[in-house]
Amino acid sequence: MSWPDVGVAEAAEGLSPRAYLARLADTLLTPAERAERARAALRQWNGYGPGKADEADLDAELDRRLVEAAARRP
């Protein structure tokens, strides 16, 4: 049985908190890995696959909206 297949109680048994957290961290995805999985799921689900230019445009639009929203805060 590999690490992700065991329950928390079994996994933590006999481990120090530091060792448990280190092992847990090894099972988590980085933000970049989560983003890539999300992109792959969207491509598979509906064919959506923006190019680099589209991503840059979307990032710029998000940045603009964040600045706008921050300016509205009292």
Side-chain angles (χ1 to χ4, degrees):
M1 198 177 324
S2 66
W3 166 253
D5 296 333
V6 297
V8 173
E10 295 94 357
E13 193 172 310
L15 293 177
S16 70
R18 180 175 290 192
Y20 170 74
L21 291 174
R23 187 173 283 180
L24 181 62
D26 288 340
T27 67
L28 301 176
L29 298 175
T30 66
E33 291 167 332
R34 286 194 307 270
E36 182 52 40
R37 285 188 179 192
R39 282 188 209 97
L42 280 171
R43 275 191 303 271
Q44 183 179 14
W45 178 54
N46 67 3
Y48 180 71
K52 294 292 182 190
D54 293 328
E55 285 182 10
D57 289 345
L58 292 169
D59 286 343
E61 176 64 14
L62 179 59
D63 290 342
R64 184 191 67 75
R65 289 182 185 197
L66 288 171
V67 167
E68 184 179 300
R72 292 184 188 164
R73 290 183 71 190

Short mmCIF file of all heavy atoms in Angstrom, two decimals:
data_model
loop_
_atom_site.label_atom_id
_atom_site.label_comp_id
_atom_site.label_asym_id
_atom_site.label_seq_id
_atom_site.Cartn_x
_atom_site.Cartn_y
_atom_site.Cartn_z
N MET A 1 0.85 -1.18 0.00
CA MET A 1 0.00 0.00 0.00
C MET A 1 0.89 1.24 0.00
O MET A 1 1.80 1.34 0.79
CB MET A 1 -0.87 -0.03 1.26
CG MET A 1 -2.04 0.86 1.17
SD MET A 1 -3.20 0.86 2.57
CE MET A 1 -3.28 -0.79 3.15
N SER A 2 0.65 2.17 -0.90
CA SER A 2 1.47 3.38 -0.95
C SER A 2 0.91 4.43 0.00
O SER A 2 -0.20 4.31 0.51
CB SER A 2 1.50 3.93 -2.38
OG SER A 2 0.22 4.37 -2.76
N TRP A 3 1.65 5.47 0.22
CA TRP A 3 1.30 6.51 1.18
C TRP A 3 -0.10 7.09 0.97
O TRP A 3 -0.88 7.13 1.91
CB TRP A 3 2.35 7.60 1.15
CG TRP A 3 1.92 8.85 1.85
CD1 TRP A 3 1.58 10.02 1.26
CD2 TRP A 3 1.74 9.04 3.25
NE1 TRP A 3 1.21 10.93 2.20
CE2 TRP A 3 1.29 10.34 3.43
CE3 TRP A 3 1.89 8.22 4.35
CZ2 TRP A 3 1.01 10.87 4.68
CZ3 TRP A 3 1.60 8.75 5.59
CH2 TRP A 3 1.17 10.05 5.75
N PRO A 4 -0.49 7.54 -0.21
CA PRO A 4 -1.82 8.14 -0.34
C PRO A 4 -2.95 7.15 -0.08
O PRO A 4 -4.06 7.56 0.20
CB PRO A 4 -1.86 8.64 -1.78
CG PRO A 4 -0.46 8.76 -2.19
CD PRO A 4 0.28 7.70 -1.43
N ASP A 5 -2.68 5.84 -0.15
CA ASP A 5 -3.73 4.85 0.04
C ASP A 5 -4.04 4.56 1.50
O ASP A 5 -5.05 3.95 1.80
CB ASP A 5 -3.36 3.53 -0.65
CG ASP A 5 -3.24 3.70 -2.16
OD1 ASP A 5 -3.92 4.60 -2.69
OD2 ASP A 5 -2.48 2.95 -2.78
N VAL A 6 -3.16 4.95 2.40
CA VAL A 6 -3.40 4.64 3.80
C VAL A 6 -4.14 5.79 4.46
O VAL A 6 -4.07 6.93 4.03
CB VAL A 6 -2.08 4.36 4.57
CG1 VAL A 6 -1.38 3.15 4.00
CG2 VAL A 6 -1.18 5.56 4.57
N GLY A 7 -4.86 5.46 5.54
CA GLY A 7 -5.59 6.48 6.28
C GLY A 7 -4.64 7.34 7.10
O GLY A 7 -3.48 6.99 7.32
N VAL A 8 -5.15 8.46 7.61
CA VAL A 8 -4.32 9.38 8.39
C VAL A 8 -3.79 8.69 9.64
O VAL A 8 -2.63 8.82 9.98
CB VAL A 8 -5.14 10.64 8.76
CG1 VAL A 8 -4.36 11.53 9.71
CG2 VAL A 8 -5.52 11.40 7.51
N ALA A 9 -4.64 7.93 10.33
CA ALA A 9 -4.21 7.28 11.56
C ALA A 9 -3.08 6.29 11.29
O ALA A 9 -2.08 6.28 12.01
CB ALA A 9 -5.38 6.57 12.22
N GLU A 10 -3.22 5.49 10.25
CA GLU A 10 -2.17 4.54 9.92
C GLU A 10 -0.90 5.25 9.48
O GLU A 10 0.21 4.85 9.81
CB GLU A 10 -2.61 3.57 8.82
CG GLU A 10 -3.74 2.64 9.21
CD GLU A 10 -5.09 3.19 8.80
OE1 GLU A 10 -5.15 4.31 8.26
OE2 GLU A 10 -6.08 2.50 9.03
N ALA A 11 -1.04 6.32 8.73
CA ALA A 11 0.11 7.04 8.21
C ALA A 11 0.87 7.74 9.33
O ALA A 11 2.09 7.80 9.31
CB ALA A 11 -0.33 8.05 7.17
N ALA A 12 0.15 8.27 10.30
CA ALA A 12 0.78 9.03 11.37
C ALA A 12 1.37 8.13 12.45
O ALA A 12 2.20 8.57 13.23
CB ALA A 12 -0.24 9.98 11.99
N GLU A 13 0.97 6.89 12.48
CA GLU A 13 1.43 5.98 13.52
C GLU A 13 2.94 5.83 13.48
O GLU A 13 3.52 5.43 12.49
CB GLU A 13 0.76 4.62 13.34
CG GLU A 13 0.91 3.71 14.53
CD GLU A 13 0.06 2.47 14.37
OE1 GLU A 13 -1.14 2.61 14.07
OE2 GLU A 13 0.63 1.39 14.52
N GLY A 14 3.58 6.16 14.58
CA GLY A 14 5.01 5.99 14.69
C GLY A 14 5.83 7.12 14.08
O GLY A 14 7.05 7.07 14.10
N LEU A 15 5.19 8.13 13.49
CA LEU A 15 5.93 9.24 12.90
C LEU A 15 5.90 10.45 13.82
O LEU A 15 4.92 10.70 14.51
CB LEU A 15 5.30 9.66 11.56
CG LEU A 15 5.37 8.68 10.41
CD1 LEU A 15 4.63 9.24 9.21
CD2 LEU A 15 6.81 8.38 10.04
N SER A 16 6.99 11.20 13.82
CA SER A 16 6.98 12.47 14.53
C SER A 16 6.11 13.44 13.74
O SER A 16 5.87 13.23 12.54
CB SER A 16 8.40 13.03 14.63
OG SER A 16 8.85 13.45 13.35
N PRO A 17 5.61 14.47 14.40
CA PRO A 17 4.81 15.46 13.65
C PRO A 17 5.57 16.03 12.44
O PRO A 17 5.00 16.21 11.38
CB PRO A 17 4.52 16.55 14.68
CG PRO A 17 4.55 15.82 15.98
CD PRO A 17 5.64 14.78 15.82
N ARG A 18 6.85 16.27 12.60
CA ARG A 18 7.65 16.82 11.49
C ARG A 18 7.72 15.82 10.33
O ARG A 18 7.55 16.18 9.17
CB ARG A 18 9.04 17.17 11.96
CG ARG A 18 9.90 17.75 10.84
CD ARG A 18 11.21 18.19 11.36
NE ARG A 18 10.96 19.37 12.18
CZ ARG A 18 11.89 20.17 12.62
NH1 ARG A 18 13.14 19.93 12.35
NH2 ARG A 18 11.60 21.22 13.35
N ALA A 19 7.96 14.54 10.65
CA ALA A 19 8.03 13.52 9.61
C ALA A 19 6.68 13.34 8.93
O ALA A 19 6.60 13.18 7.71
CB ALA A 19 8.50 12.20 10.20
N TYR A 20 5.61 13.37 9.73
CA TYR A 20 4.26 13.24 9.16
C TYR A 20 3.98 14.38 8.19
O TYR A 20 3.49 14.17 7.09
CB TYR A 20 3.22 13.21 10.28
CG TYR A 20 1.82 13.31 9.76
CD1 TYR A 20 1.21 12.23 9.13
CD2 TYR A 20 1.10 14.50 9.85
CE1 TYR A 20 -0.07 12.32 8.63
CE2 TYR A 20 -0.18 14.60 9.36
CZ TYR A 20 -0.77 13.51 8.75
OH TYR A 20 -2.03 13.60 8.25
N LEU A 21 4.28 15.61 8.61
CA LEU A 21 4.03 16.77 7.74
C LEU A 21 4.91 16.74 6.50
O LEU A 21 4.47 17.12 5.41
CB LEU A 21 4.23 18.06 8.52
CG LEU A 21 3.17 18.34 9.59
CD1 LEU A 21 3.55 19.56 10.41
CD2 LEU A 21 1.80 18.49 8.98
N ALA A 22 6.14 16.28 6.63
CA ALA A 22 7.02 16.18 5.46
C ALA A 22 6.46 15.17 4.47
O ALA A 22 6.44 15.41 3.26
CB ALA A 22 8.43 15.77 5.89
N ARG A 23 5.99 14.05 4.98
CA ARG A 23 5.42 13.04 4.10
C ARG A 23 4.12 13.55 3.46
O ARG A 23 3.87 13.33 2.28
CB ARG A 23 5.15 11.75 4.86
CG ARG A 23 4.71 10.64 3.93
CD ARG A 23 4.61 9.34 4.64
NE ARG A 23 5.95 8.77 4.83
CZ ARG A 23 6.16 7.61 5.44
NH1 ARG A 23 5.16 6.93 5.93
NH2 ARG A 23 7.38 7.16 5.56
N LEU A 24 3.30 14.24 4.24
CA LEU A 24 2.07 14.82 3.71
C LEU A 24 2.37 15.83 2.61
O LEU A 24 1.72 15.85 1.56
CB LEU A 24 1.27 15.48 4.84
CG LEU A 24 -0.06 16.11 4.46
CD1 LEU A 24 -1.02 15.07 3.91
CD2 LEU A 24 -0.66 16.82 5.65
N ALA A 25 3.38 16.66 2.82
CA ALA A 25 3.75 17.67 1.82
C ALA A 25 4.17 17.02 0.51
O ALA A 25 3.94 17.58 -0.57
CB ALA A 25 4.87 18.56 2.35
N ASP A 26 4.78 15.85 0.58
CA ASP A 26 5.19 15.15 -0.64
C ASP A 26 4.00 14.70 -1.48
O ASP A 26 4.13 14.44 -2.66
CB ASP A 26 6.04 13.92 -0.30
CG ASP A 26 7.42 14.30 0.18
OD1 ASP A 26 7.85 15.44 -0.10
OD2 ASP A 26 8.05 13.45 0.84
N THR A 27 2.82 14.60 -0.86
CA THR A 27 1.63 14.14 -1.59
C THR A 27 0.83 15.29 -2.19
O THR A 27 -0.09 15.05 -2.96
CB THR A 27 0.70 13.31 -0.69
OG1 THR A 27 0.15 14.16 0.32
CG2 THR A 27 1.43 12.15 -0.06
N LEU A 28 1.14 16.52 -1.81
CA LEU A 28 0.37 17.67 -2.27
C LEU A 28 0.93 18.21 -3.58
O LEU A 28 2.14 18.16 -3.83
CB LEU A 28 0.38 18.76 -1.21
CG LEU A 28 -0.21 18.36 0.14
CD1 LEU A 28 -0.06 19.50 1.13
CD2 LEU A 28 -1.66 17.96 0.00
N LEU A 29 0.06 18.76 -4.38
CA LEU A 29 0.48 19.36 -5.66
C LEU A 29 0.87 20.81 -5.45
O LEU A 29 0.28 21.51 -4.62
CB LEU A 29 -0.67 19.29 -6.66
CG LEU A 29 -1.16 17.91 -7.06
CD1 LEU A 29 -2.37 18.03 -7.97
CD2 LEU A 29 -0.07 17.11 -7.73
N THR A 30 1.81 21.26 -6.25
CA THR A 30 2.17 22.68 -6.24
C THR A 30 1.09 23.44 -6.99
O THR A 30 0.30 22.86 -7.76
CB THR A 30 3.52 22.91 -6.93
OG1 THR A 30 3.38 22.59 -8.32
CG2 THR A 30 4.63 22.09 -6.30
N PRO A 31 1.02 24.76 -6.81
CA PRO A 31 0.04 25.54 -7.58
C PRO A 31 0.19 25.35 -9.09
O PRO A 31 -0.81 25.25 -9.80
CB PRO A 31 0.33 26.98 -7.16
CG PRO A 31 0.88 26.85 -5.78
CD PRO A 31 1.69 25.58 -5.80
N ALA A 32 1.41 25.24 -9.57
CA ALA A 32 1.63 25.04 -11.01
C ALA A 32 1.10 23.68 -11.45
O ALA A 32 0.51 23.56 -12.53
CB ALA A 32 3.11 25.16 -11.35
N GLU A 33 1.30 22.66 -10.62
CA GLU A 33 0.79 21.33 -10.96
C GLU A 33 -0.74 21.31 -10.95
O GLU A 33 -1.36 20.70 -11.82
CB GLU A 33 1.33 20.29 -9.98
CG GLU A 33 2.82 20.04 -10.13
CD GLU A 33 3.42 19.25 -8.97
OE1 GLU A 33 2.89 19.34 -7.83
OE2 GLU A 33 4.39 18.56 -9.21
N ARG A 34 -1.34 22.00 -9.97
CA ARG A 34 -2.81 22.07 -9.93
C ARG A 34 -3.34 22.80 -11.16
O ARG A 34 -4.34 22.40 -11.76
CB ARG A 34 -3.28 22.77 -8.66
CG ARG A 34 -3.15 21.92 -7.42
CD ARG A 34 -3.92 22.49 -6.25
NE ARG A 34 -3.63 23.87 -5.95
CZ ARG A 34 -2.69 24.28 -5.10
NH1 ARG A 34 -1.95 23.40 -4.47
NH2 ARG A 34 -2.50 25.56 -4.88
N ALA A 35 -2.67 23.87 -11.56
CA ALA A 35 -3.10 24.64 -12.73
C ALA A 35 -3.01 23.79 -13.99
O ALA A 35 -3.92 23.81 -14.83
CB ALA A 35 -2.26 25.90 -12.87
N GLU A 36 -1.93 23.04 -14.12
CA GLU A 36 -1.78 22.19 -15.31
C GLU A 36 -2.85 21.12 -15.35
O GLU A 36 -3.40 20.82 -16.42
CB GLU A 36 -0.38 21.57 -15.36
CG GLU A 36 -0.14 20.73 -16.60
CD GLU A 36 -0.47 21.44 -17.90
OE1 GLU A 36 -0.18 22.65 -18.03
OE2 GLU A 36 -1.05 20.79 -18.80
N ARG A 37 -3.16 20.53 -14.21
CA ARG A 37 -4.23 19.53 -14.18
C ARG A 37 -5.58 20.15 -14.54
O ARG A 37 -6.39 19.53 -15.23
CB ARG A 37 -4.30 18.86 -12.81
CG ARG A 37 -3.20 17.88 -12.60
CD ARG A 37 -3.41 17.10 -11.33
NE ARG A 37 -2.35 16.13 -11.16
CZ ARG A 37 -2.39 15.17 -10.29
NH1 ARG A 37 -3.42 15.03 -9.49
NH2 ARG A 37 -1.38 14.32 -10.19
N ALA A 38 -5.82 21.37 -14.07
CA ALA A 38 -7.07 22.06 -14.41
C ALA A 38 -7.14 22.33 -15.91
O ALA A 38 -8.19 22.13 -16.53
CB ALA A 38 -7.19 23.35 -13.62
N ARG A 39 -6.02 22.79 -16.49
CA ARG A 39 -5.99 23.03 -17.94
C ARG A 39 -6.27 21.75 -18.72
O ARG A 39 -7.03 21.74 -19.69
CB ARG A 39 -4.64 23.60 -18.35
CG ARG A 39 -4.46 25.05 -18.05
CD ARG A 39 -3.15 25.57 -18.68
NE ARG A 39 -2.65 26.66 -17.89
CZ ARG A 39 -1.72 26.57 -16.95
NH1 ARG A 39 -1.12 25.43 -16.71
NH2 ARG A 39 -1.34 27.63 -16.27
N ALA A 40 -5.64 20.66 -18.28
CA ALA A 40 -5.84 19.38 -18.97
C ALA A 40 -7.29 18.92 -18.86
O ALA A 40 -7.87 18.43 -19.83
CB ALA A 40 -4.90 18.33 -18.39
N ALA A 41 -7.90 19.12 -17.70
CA ALA A 41 -9.30 18.72 -17.51
C ALA A 41 -10.21 19.56 -18.40
O ALA A 41 -11.16 19.03 -19.01
CB ALA A 41 -9.70 18.87 -16.05
N LEU A 42 -9.95 20.86 -18.50
CA LEU A 42 -10.76 21.72 -19.38
C LEU A 42 -10.61 21.33 -20.84
O LEU A 42 -11.59 21.29 -21.59
CB LEU A 42 -10.38 23.19 -19.19
CG LEU A 42 -10.98 23.88 -17.98
CD1 LEU A 42 -10.36 25.25 -17.79
CD2 LEU A 42 -12.49 24.00 -18.11
N ARG A 43 -9.36 21.06 -21.26
CA ARG A 43 -9.15 20.64 -22.65
C ARG A 43 -9.92 19.35 -22.94
O ARG A 43 -10.55 19.22 -23.99
CB ARG A 43 -7.66 20.42 -22.91
CG ARG A 43 -6.91 21.67 -23.28
CD ARG A 43 -5.51 21.35 -23.79
NE ARG A 43 -4.71 20.60 -22.85
CZ ARG A 43 -3.93 21.13 -21.90
NH1 ARG A 43 -3.86 22.43 -21.79
NH2 ARG A 43 -3.23 20.36 -21.08
N GLN A 44 -9.85 18.40 -22.02
CA GLN A 44 -10.53 17.12 -22.23
C GLN A 44 -12.04 17.30 -22.19
O GLN A 44 -12.77 16.69 -22.98
CB GLN A 44 -10.09 16.12 -21.16
CG GLN A 44 -10.71 14.76 -21.34
CD GLN A 44 -10.22 13.79 -20.28
OE1 GLN A 44 -9.64 14.18 -19.28
NE2 GLN A 44 -10.47 12.52 -20.50
N TRP A 45 -12.53 18.14 -21.29
CA TRP A 45 -13.97 18.29 -21.10
C TRP A 45 -14.63 19.04 -22.24
O TRP A 45 -15.63 18.63 -22.79
CB TRP A 45 -14.23 18.99 -19.77
CG TRP A 45 -15.67 19.24 -19.47
CD1 TRP A 45 -16.68 18.32 -19.46
CD2 TRP A 45 -16.26 20.48 -19.15
NE1 TRP A 45 -17.87 18.93 -19.13
CE2 TRP A 45 -17.62 20.27 -18.93
CE3 TRP A 45 -15.75 21.77 -19.01
CZ2 TRP A 45 -18.49 21.28 -18.59
CZ3 TRP A 45 -16.63 22.78 -18.65
CH2 TRP A 45 -17.98 22.53 -18.46
N ASN A 46 -14.05 20.21 -22.62
CA ASN A 46 -14.72 21.02 -23.62
C ASN A 46 -13.81 21.58 -24.71
O ASN A 46 -14.21 22.44 -25.48
CB ASN A 46 -15.49 22.16 -22.96
CG ASN A 46 -14.60 23.18 -22.31
OD1 ASN A 46 -13.38 23.09 -22.39
ND2 ASN A 46 -15.19 24.16 -21.65
N GLY A 47 -12.58 21.11 -24.76
CA GLY A 47 -11.67 21.56 -25.80
C GLY A 47 -11.04 22.92 -25.55
O GLY A 47 -10.30 23.42 -26.39
N TYR A 48 -11.30 23.52 -24.39
CA TYR A 48 -10.75 24.84 -24.09
C TYR A 48 -9.26 24.73 -23.85
O TYR A 48 -8.80 23.99 -22.99
CB TYR A 48 -11.43 25.44 -22.86
CG TYR A 48 -10.92 26.81 -22.49
CD1 TYR A 48 -11.21 27.91 -23.29
CD2 TYR A 48 -10.15 27.00 -21.36
CE1 TYR A 48 -10.76 29.17 -22.95
CE2 TYR A 48 -9.69 28.26 -21.01
CZ TYR A 48 -10.00 29.34 -21.81
OH TYR A 48 -9.55 30.59 -21.48
N GLY A 49 -8.48 25.45 -24.63
CA GLY A 49 -7.03 25.44 -24.48
C GLY A 49 -6.45 26.75 -24.94
O GLY A 49 -5.98 26.84 -26.06
N PRO A 50 -6.47 27.77 -24.07
CA PRO A 50 -5.96 29.08 -24.49
C PRO A 50 -4.47 29.03 -24.75
O PRO A 50 -3.73 28.32 -24.09
CB PRO A 50 -6.28 29.98 -23.29
CG PRO A 50 -6.31 29.06 -22.12
CD PRO A 50 -6.84 27.76 -22.67
N GLY A 51 -4.05 29.80 -25.72
CA GLY A 51 -2.63 29.93 -26.01
C GLY A 51 -1.98 30.92 -25.06
O GLY A 51 -2.64 31.51 -24.20
N LYS A 52 -0.69 31.12 -25.21
CA LYS A 52 0.04 32.04 -24.33
C LYS A 52 -0.49 33.47 -24.45
O LYS A 52 -0.61 34.17 -23.45
CB LYS A 52 1.54 32.01 -24.64
CG LYS A 52 2.20 30.70 -24.34
CD LYS A 52 2.22 30.46 -22.84
CE LYS A 52 2.94 29.14 -22.55
NZ LYS A 52 2.79 28.74 -21.17
N ALA A 53 -0.82 33.89 -25.66
CA ALA A 53 -1.35 35.25 -25.84
C ALA A 53 -2.71 35.38 -25.15
O ALA A 53 -2.99 36.41 -24.50
CB ALA A 53 -1.48 35.58 -27.32
N ASP A 54 -3.56 34.36 -25.28
CA ASP A 54 -4.86 34.40 -24.61
C ASP A 54 -4.69 34.44 -23.09
O ASP A 54 -5.39 35.18 -22.40
CB ASP A 54 -5.69 33.17 -24.98
CG ASP A 54 -6.11 33.16 -26.44
OD1 ASP A 54 -6.32 34.25 -27.00
OD2 ASP A 54 -6.21 32.06 -27.00
N GLU A 55 -3.76 33.65 -22.57
CA GLU A 55 -3.51 33.65 -21.13
C GLU A 55 -3.02 35.02 -20.67
O GLU A 55 -3.43 35.50 -19.62
CB GLU A 55 -2.49 32.58 -20.76
CG GLU A 55 -3.05 31.18 -20.79
CD GLU A 55 -2.02 30.13 -20.37
OE1 GLU A 55 -0.93 30.50 -19.88
OE2 GLU A 55 -2.33 28.94 -20.54
N ALA A 56 -2.16 35.64 -21.45
CA ALA A 56 -1.66 36.97 -21.10
C ALA A 56 -2.80 37.99 -21.09
O ALA A 56 -2.87 38.83 -20.18
CB ALA A 56 -0.56 37.40 -22.07
N ASP A 57 -3.69 37.90 -22.07
CA ASP A 57 -4.85 38.81 -22.11
C ASP A 57 -5.75 38.58 -20.90
O ASP A 57 -6.24 39.54 -20.29
CB ASP A 57 -5.66 38.60 -23.39
CG ASP A 57 -4.94 39.10 -24.63
OD1 ASP A 57 -3.95 39.87 -24.49
OD2 ASP A 57 -5.36 38.72 -25.74
N LEU A 58 -5.99 37.32 -20.56
CA LEU A 58 -6.83 37.02 -19.40
C LEU A 58 -6.18 37.49 -18.10
O LEU A 58 -6.86 38.02 -17.22
CB LEU A 58 -7.13 35.52 -19.34
CG LEU A 58 -8.01 34.97 -20.45
CD1 LEU A 58 -8.00 33.44 -20.43
CD2 LEU A 58 -9.43 35.49 -20.31
N ASP A 59 -4.87 37.32 -17.98
CA ASP A 59 -4.16 37.79 -16.80
C ASP A 59 -4.25 39.31 -16.69
O ASP A 59 -4.45 39.85 -15.60
CB ASP A 59 -2.69 37.36 -16.83
CG ASP A 59 -2.50 35.88 -16.54
OD1 ASP A 59 -3.45 35.25 -16.01
OD2 ASP A 59 -1.42 35.36 -16.84
N ALA A 60 -4.09 40.00 -17.81
CA ALA A 60 -4.18 41.47 -17.81
C ALA A 60 -5.58 41.92 -17.40
O ALA A 60 -5.73 42.88 -16.63
CB ALA A 60 -3.81 42.02 -19.18
N GLU A 61 -6.60 41.24 -17.90
CA GLU A 61 -7.98 41.58 -17.55
C GLU A 61 -8.23 41.35 -16.06
O GLU A 61 -8.86 42.15 -15.38
CB GLU A 61 -8.96 40.76 -18.38
CG GLU A 61 -10.42 40.96 -18.04
CD GLU A 61 -10.94 42.37 -18.29
OE1 GLU A 61 -10.27 43.17 -18.98
OE2 GLU A 61 -12.04 42.68 -17.80
N LEU A 62 -7.72 40.24 -15.53
CA LEU A 62 -7.87 39.96 -14.10
C LEU A 62 -7.16 41.02 -13.27
O LEU A 62 -7.71 41.53 -12.28
CB LEU A 62 -7.32 38.57 -13.77
CG LEU A 62 -7.38 38.16 -12.31
CD1 LEU A 62 -8.81 38.18 -11.79
CD2 LEU A 62 -6.77 36.79 -12.13
N ASP A 63 -5.94 41.40 -13.66
CA ASP A 63 -5.21 42.44 -12.95
C ASP A 63 -5.98 43.75 -12.97
O ASP A 63 -6.07 44.45 -11.94
CB ASP A 63 -3.82 42.65 -13.56
CG ASP A 63 -2.88 41.48 -13.31
OD1 ASP A 63 -3.16 40.66 -12.40
OD2 ASP A 63 -1.87 41.38 -14.05
N ARG A 64 -6.55 44.11 -14.13
CA ARG A 64 -7.31 45.35 -14.24
C ARG A 64 -8.51 45.32 -13.30
O ARG A 64 -8.79 46.28 -12.58
CB ARG A 64 -7.79 45.54 -15.68
CG ARG A 64 -8.53 46.85 -15.93
CD ARG A 64 -9.21 46.90 -17.29
NE ARG A 64 -10.30 45.95 -17.42
CZ ARG A 64 -11.52 46.10 -16.86
NH1 ARG A 64 -11.79 47.15 -16.11
NH2 ARG A 64 -12.47 45.20 -17.05
N ARG A 65 -9.22 44.19 -13.25
CA ARG A 65 -10.39 44.08 -12.38
C ARG A 65 -10.02 44.12 -10.91
O ARG A 65 -10.75 44.69 -10.09
CB ARG A 65 -11.15 42.80 -12.69
CG ARG A 65 -11.86 42.85 -14.03
CD ARG A 65 -12.64 41.59 -14.27
NE ARG A 65 -13.23 41.57 -15.59
CZ ARG A 65 -14.22 40.75 -15.92
NH1 ARG A 65 -14.71 39.90 -15.05
NH2 ARG A 65 -14.71 40.79 -17.14
N LEU A 66 -8.87 43.54 -10.55
CA LEU A 66 -8.43 43.58 -9.16
C LEU A 66 -8.09 45.00 -8.74
O LEU A 66 -8.43 45.42 -7.63
CB LEU A 66 -7.22 42.66 -8.96
CG LEU A 66 -7.52 41.16 -9.00
CD1 LEU A 66 -6.22 40.37 -9.02
CD2 LEU A 66 -8.38 40.76 -7.81
N VAL A 67 -7.43 45.75 -9.61
CA VAL A 67 -7.12 47.15 -9.31
C VAL A 67 -8.41 47.94 -9.17
O VAL A 67 -8.56 48.75 -8.24
CB VAL A 67 -6.21 47.75 -10.41
CG1 VAL A 67 -6.12 49.26 -10.29
CG2 VAL A 67 -4.83 47.12 -10.36
N GLU A 68 -9.35 47.70 -10.05
CA GLU A 68 -10.63 48.39 -10.00
C GLU A 68 -11.38 48.07 -8.69
O GLU A 68 -11.94 48.95 -8.05
CB GLU A 68 -11.49 47.98 -11.21
CG GLU A 68 -12.81 48.70 -11.34
CD GLU A 68 -13.55 48.23 -12.57
OE1 GLU A 68 -13.01 48.37 -13.68
OE2 GLU A 68 -14.67 47.71 -12.40
N ALA A 69 -11.40 46.81 -8.31
CA ALA A 69 -12.09 46.41 -7.09
C ALA A 69 -11.39 47.00 -5.86
O ALA A 69 -12.05 47.41 -4.91
CB ALA A 69 -12.15 44.89 -6.99
N ALA A 70 -10.07 47.03 -5.87
CA ALA A 70 -9.34 47.58 -4.74
C ALA A 70 -9.60 49.08 -4.59
O ALA A 70 -9.66 49.60 -3.47
CB ALA A 70 -7.84 47.32 -4.90
N ALA A 71 -9.78 49.76 -5.71
CA ALA A 71 -10.05 51.20 -5.68
C ALA A 71 -11.43 51.49 -5.09
O ALA A 71 -11.67 52.57 -4.54
CB ALA A 71 -9.96 51.78 -7.08
N ARG A 72 -12.36 50.56 -5.16
CA ARG A 72 -13.71 50.74 -4.62
C ARG A 72 -13.79 50.55 -3.12
O ARG A 72 -14.76 50.96 -2.50
CB ARG A 72 -14.67 49.77 -5.28
CG ARG A 72 -14.92 50.04 -6.73
CD ARG A 72 -15.95 49.09 -7.27
NE ARG A 72 -16.07 49.22 -8.69
CZ ARG A 72 -16.65 48.34 -9.46
NH1 ARG A 72 -17.18 47.25 -8.94
NH2 ARG A 72 -16.73 48.51 -10.76
N ARG A 73 -12.77 49.89 -2.55
CA ARG A 73 -12.81 49.61 -1.12
C ARG A 73 -12.68 50.91 -0.35
O ARG A 73 -11.88 51.77 -0.70
CB ARG A 73 -11.67 48.68 -0.73
CG ARG A 73 -11.88 47.28 -1.28
CD ARG A 73 -10.81 46.35 -0.86
NE ARG A 73 -10.95 46.08 0.58
CZ ARG A 73 -10.05 45.46 1.30
NH1 ARG A 73 -8.94 45.08 0.76
NH2 ARG A 73 -10.23 45.24 2.58
N PRO A 74 -13.44 51.02 0.72
CA PRO A 74 -13.36 52.27 1.53
C PRO A 74 -12.05 52.39 2.29
O PRO A 74 -11.35 51.53 2.53
CB PRO A 74 -14.52 52.14 2.51
CG PRO A 74 -15.03 50.77 2.41
CD PRO A 74 -14.44 50.13 1.19
#
